[in-house]
Amino acid sequence: MKVAIIMGSTSDYEIMSQAVNVLEDLGVEIVKKVISAHRTPDLMCEFAKSAKENGIGVIIAGAGGAAHVAGVVAGMTTVPVIGVPIQTKALGGMDSLLSIVQMPAGIPVATMAINGSKNAGLFAAQILALTDEALAAKLDQFRKEQTQKVLEATI
Ligand code: RP5
């Protein structure tokens, strides 16, 4: 299964590329697309409604400001949605965080930290790894290497 990485603007890609990189390192197939809830609402609906039949197992949605794309997409599919609040100039990303995290009961969005795109990629991989042993082994290896780096760090 694939992970879809969508974002409200090309300006989000500097952050969202961290999810792309971690998933590519783990060998996960991805699709990436700029989809905005307010600038391309028809595209957003089309994407969300066809996600499951297109073989998408997890959707990562990054947006800043009035960041409604993750919640609206989640309302149109049962494919799990992970939201990434993008840091903003005006409010530091608190606007994005609160827009994404406060989903009313019934339509969940797993919300990461502000700019937490790398963790979104890892979390998506962990979901797919529940039914993919090879991917689970790669995640175990990633954790081992991460631990080793901390143990070997000098200050
Ligand atoms: C949101 O507005 C995007 O997700 C982006 O974080 C923010 C600013 O977009 P641009 O004006 O840089 O295109 O829709």
Side-chain angles (χ1 to χ4, degrees):
M1 277 206 276
K2 291 177 271 192
V3 173
I5 301 170
I6 64 170
M7 62 211 79
S9 169
T10 53
S11 66
D12 298 324
Y13 193 65
E14 189 183 343
I15 295 301
M16 296 309 291
S17 61
Q18 295 168 28
V20 172
N21 293 341
V22 78
L23 286 164
E24 282 182 348
D25 287 350
L26 289 164
V28 175
E29 196 181 342
I30 60 167
V31 287
K32 50 187 186 195
K33 229 173 169 40
V34 173
I35 297 180
S36 164
H38 39 269
R39 291 170 179 157
T40 62
D42 291 340
L43 174 64
M44 176 186 62
C45 293
E46 195 185 303
F47 163 81
K49 288 178 182 172
S50 60
K52 194 174 271 183
E53 73 203 39
N54 286 334
I56 292 167
V58 183
I59 297 166
I60 298 173
H68 30 236
V69 68
V72 179
V73 165
M76 290 187 281
T77 180
T78 54
V79 172
V81 177
I82 302 171
V84 179
I86 301 292
Q87 191 169 1
T88 53
K89 288 198 182 94
L91 296 170
M94 281 304 290
D95 43 352
S96 325
L97 173 65
L98 297 178
S99 294
I100 295 174
V101 78
Q102 285 293 357
M103 285 301 292
I107 305 292
V109 170
T111 309
M112 300 291 108
I114 295 169
N115 286 352
S117 172
K118 181 173 181 180
N119 269 359
L122 288 168
F123 196 54
Q126 287 177 209
I127 293 170
L128 295 188
L130 291 170
T131 53
D132 182 336
E133 281 179 23
L135 181 55
K138 285 181 190 169
L139 281 165
D140 283 342
Q141 185 60 28
F142 169 84
R143 291 284 181 102
K144 276 187 196 140
E145 286 170 14
Q146 182 170 248
T147 299
Q148 201 53 36
K149 271 187 207 154
V150 174
L151 293 174
E152 287 170 3
T154 52
I155 48 171

